[in-house]
Amino acid sequence: MANAEPRGLSPLLAELVPFPGRTAMALRMTAVSVLVVLAAMTFKVPETAVSVFLVLFLQKPDSAITVLMSIALSVLLPTIVGIIFAAAILTLDFPQARIATMVLLSFGILWLASASKLGALGNTIGLVLAYGLDLLGKGNNGELVTRGLLYALQFSMLPLAVLVAFNLPFGRHSERLAREALAERLSLAAACFEDAGRAGTVRVVDLDDGAIRKLVRLAGLLGRQSRTSAARLTALTPASRTLLIRLAAGWDGQQAADRPDLATRCRGLAQAVEQGRPATEAARQAAQPGDALGDLVTEAEEAFASGQTAPKPKAEKSGFFKSDAFSNPGHVRYALETTLAAMACYLTYTILDWPGIHTCMITCFVGSLLTVGETNRKLILRLSGCLIGATLGLEALVYVLPHHDGITGLLVVAAVVLPSAWVVVGSERISYMGIQIAFAFCLCVMQGFALKTDLTVARDRIIGIVFGDLVIFLVAPRLYPVSILPEVEATARRFLTGIRGLVASEGGRCRRPASRPRRAGSPGAPAGPDRRPCLRAWRQLRSGAGCHRHARRRGASP
């Protein structure tokens, strides 16, 4: 679950404060990166900086997602290298044909990245394709081209193998994350029973059932949990959400406050969920008549014990392509502007015969996004991370590496990757800057397989990153500027529609207690469902933590 932002701190410091799981995740990223560096130096695998970049990009809190993405890429990459090899056979002696092939392949894969579920992975594939075709121009015979392609496959497959080998035994598995999320829900409910004021801390993210269900499915896919365990977690998910909705609505606050019995039962159920065992019969107490909150706690206990839940209608499955893939010209425009920026960088350093700044083309692929606001934000993060990582890399080249011999001198990467990983594990507002810090540092330090302190290599690669950022800034906002405002409005509409459906489905259970007086002005009105608490919850959630990010993005969008 996401954690609440600390108050009383500046926005930057608030992004850097620790939260549960952040330290462990940063240590895992650092360990995998160091293993990749050691393997690359031992087996003489080139482009170690790209391998570290892939580690930080693919390592996720959920080991199942990390393993599945790594396996998928390990299948895709040989296919990509095969495409490049076929292009090499056809275009090795024809530079114009090679450039045309680079343009067509980049445009096609970037269109897929925008118009399908491929997403950011498509940008990475496009980068590998373009960079591989760029290597063709540097080889003057077939043997060098073949060796270069095999090296490209080697430095891209090495981090994938290390990620799979590390995450299977040492990663945080999906079942554990799902149990922790549900236990956190129940602990929050227990805190609300002990102190009614804590109900105001319930956020929309606490009510996201989709994320928990996804974790349960992934755990089952990798065989990490039994069907019984999966059924219990699936049944408890909606029951715990209903309980939090009641508490967030402030419904019948006199009953909710000062209920140590219900708080004890919720904490006991939280411990049972975290330990993977059903609640005991002694803990499951029958609620007294009229005790609606007790009924909800009992319902959660029984759902977890039995693993039975009401059948839900099957949702319509979406295909690989988005619904507007072939009708929205924005996908074509995005592919066109990114390809144009990448080819402008490629032609620039080719004409100038300055291959050291080839990182400008890499920057175009990883820094270009669908909207102007997102692109500018990522460019700012990239420039900031580049300057920090380059400064650290130059200091290491001047003051650290000359005093160390052998492979141990390269372990200095851990001292920089650890704080970089700490930033990566943070929110999306700063996570990319952490990737860029580690990437720029490795580009400066990793200059082959022997100890080198050539500042020219570091200078050229940093200039390439800055030049690529400049090209993206000049092309993306001016060729086809796309505002993020329509996306924010569509997201807000989907959010409010979901809240309305949630209130409608849960409103029938909100009944006025017998001791509560009827509304003034309607003495003869029959007793029925009281939806005012649910409406209060709706208004609270609509103006709460779930919308603050969209509000900030709305204000920052062009």
Side-chain angles (χ1 to χ4, degrees):
M1 282 190 186
N3 294 277
E5 296 179 3
R7 298 180 180 179
L9 296 175
S10 65
L12 180 59
L13 292 179
E15 294 289 347
L16 298 177
V17 297
F19 55 78
R22 187 169 193 172
T23 302
M25 182 64 185
L27 289 174
R28 281 194 295 273
M29 282 186 171
T30 305
V32 177
S33 300
V34 170
L35 289 175
V36 167
V37 171
L38 290 175
M41 295 299 105
T42 302
F43 299 105
K44 299 187 181 302
V45 179
E47 299 293 345
T48 309
V50 179
S51 300
V52 175
F53 174 84
L54 289 175
V55 169
L56 297 179
F57 178 74
L58 293 174
Q59 179 67 57
K60 306 297 181 185
D62 181 11
S63 62
I65 296 178
T66 303
V67 170
L68 291 176
M69 289 180 63
S70 300
I71 294 175
L73 269 180
S74 65
V75 175
L76 283 174
L77 285 174
T79 304
I80 296 171
V81 172
I83 295 174
I84 298 175
F85 190 78
I89 296 175
L90 299 175
T91 64
L92 184 61
D93 297 325
F94 304 98
Q96 297 84 356
R98 185 181 69 252
I99 295 176
T101 303
M102 187 184 301
V103 171
L104 292 176
L105 289 176
S106 299
F107 178 85
I109 198 65
L110 288 170
W111 179 83
L112 278 177
S114 176
S116 69
K117 294 181 178 180
L118 203 57
L121 190 59
N123 293 62
T124 305
I125 296 174
L127 165 63
V128 175
L129 283 172
Y131 189 64
L133 291 172
D134 176 32
L135 293 176
L136 298 180
K138 300 176 182 178
N140 53 13
N141 58 62
E143 181 181 355
L144 291 179
V145 170
T146 302
R147 184 175 299 178
L149 292 177
L150 292 177
Y151 275 139
L153 183 62
Q154 194 175 13
F155 71 69
S156 57
M157 293 290 287
L158 174 63
L160 303 181
V162 177
L163 280 170
V164 173
F166 183 88
N167 278 274
L168 285 177
F170 302 113
R172 297 187 70 195
H173 300 295
S174 304
E175 182 186 13
R176 169 54 55 188
L177 293 174
R179 292 185 183 279
E180 290 177 356
L182 288 173
E184 187 177 348
R185 276 188 179 186
L186 295 169
S187 298
L188 179 57
C192 293
F193 283 124
E194 294 170 348
D195 180 9
R198 290 291 302 275
T201 63
V202 179
R203 302 155 296 157
V204 174
V205 69
D206 296 323
L207 309 177
D208 183 13
D209 285 357
I212 299 178
R213 290 195 181 101
K214 182 179 179 181
L215 291 172
V216 175
R217 287 196 301 269
L218 286 173
L221 184 63
L222 294 181
R224 288 288 178 178
Q225 67 176 356
S226 62
R227 292 185 178 180
T228 302
S229 176
R232 287 172 179 168
L233 297 179
T234 302
L236 178 60
T237 300
S240 60
R241 182 194 65 176
T242 303
L243 179 59
L244 281 182
I245 290 174
R246 296 297 181 276
L247 295 172
W251 181 73
D252 198 6
Q254 292 182 352
Q255 276 195 352
D258 194 17
R259 291 295 304 271
D261 55 332
L262 297 184
T264 301
R265 291 170 61 185
C266 285
R267 294 194 188 280
L269 182 58
Q271 293 178 0
V273 170
E274 203 161 10
Q275 297 172 4
R277 57 175 176 80
T280 61
E281 293 292 338
R284 286 184 278 147
Q285 304 172 3
Q288 299 179 357
D291 187 1
L293 293 175
D295 288 339
L296 292 174
V297 176
T298 302
E299 179 182 340
E301 293 171 340
E302 292 178 349
F304 183 65
S306 63
Q308 297 179 357
T309 184
K312 297 185 64 177
K314 292 184 178 180
E316 183 179 354
K317 294 184 178 180
S318 58
F320 175 71
F321 291 97
K322 295 180 181 179
S323 58
D324 62 346
F326 301 98
S327 59
N328 186 0
H331 304 307
V332 176
R333 293 171 180 173
Y334 167 75
L336 180 62
E337 66 185 18
T338 305
T339 301
L340 178 61
M343 292 302 103
C345 292
Y346 170 74
L347 293 176
T348 298
Y349 71 76
T350 301
I351 293 173
L352 295 177
D353 194 19
W354 196 358
I357 63 170
H358 69 277
T359 49
C360 60
M361 184 176 67
I362 298 175
T363 299
C364 293
F365 281 100
V366 301
S368 179
L369 295 173
L370 298 178
T371 64
V372 175
E374 291 175 309
T375 300
N376 290 341
R377 179 184 64 84
K378 197 165 187 177
L379 288 179
I380 293 173
L381 294 177
R382 186 172 179 82
L383 280 174
S384 303
C386 173
L387 294 176
I388 297 173
T391 302
L392 295 174
L394 293 175
E395 291 181 354
L397 288 175
V398 175
Y399 298 108
V400 179
L401 293 182
H403 305 288
H404 293 80
D405 296 328
I407 198 172
T408 56
L410 297 176
L411 292 179
V412 69
V413 69
V416 176
V417 172
L418 181 57
S420 301
W422 183 273
V423 177
V424 173
V425 180
S427 71
E428 62 179 6
R429 284 170 286 192
I430 64 167
S431 61
Y432 185 74
M433 183 171 67
I435 296 178
Q436 187 56 43
I437 292 173
F439 185 53
F441 175 81
C442 291
L443 283 175
C444 294
V445 174
M446 305 297 174
Q447 302 180 15
F449 313 115
L451 181 61
K452 295 181 181 180
T453 57
D454 187 1
L455 298 182
T456 303
V457 176
R459 179 204 65 188
D460 290 349
R461 291 176 174 180
I462 295 168
I463 291 175
I465 293 174
V466 175
F467 179 68
D469 284 335
L470 178 62
V471 172
I472 283 290
F473 178 76
L474 293 176
V475 171
R478 288 160 179 79
L479 186 60
Y480 293 114
V482 179
S483 174
I484 200 173
L485 187 59
E487 180 185 347
V488 173
E489 292 176 345
T491 303
R493 284 195 296 269
R494 291 194 300 268
F495 172 76
L496 293 177
T497 300
I499 291 296
R500 291 189 189 102
L502 187 63
V503 172
S505 63
E506 303 292 345
R509 302 181 59 178
C510 293
R511 297 189 178 274
R512 183 186 295 108
S515 60
R516 176 176 296 182
R518 295 178 179 179
R519 183 182 301 180
S522 57
D530 182 9
R531 301 197 177 194
R532 287 174 296 170
C534 292
L535 293 176
R536 286 198 299 271
W538 177 19
R539 296 188 186 101
Q540 176 190 6
L541 296 173
R542 184 173 62 179
S543 61
C547 295
H548 75 283
R549 296 177 183 170
H550 299 301
R552 281 199 290 269
R553 293 175 73 183
R554 180 187 292 269
S557 297

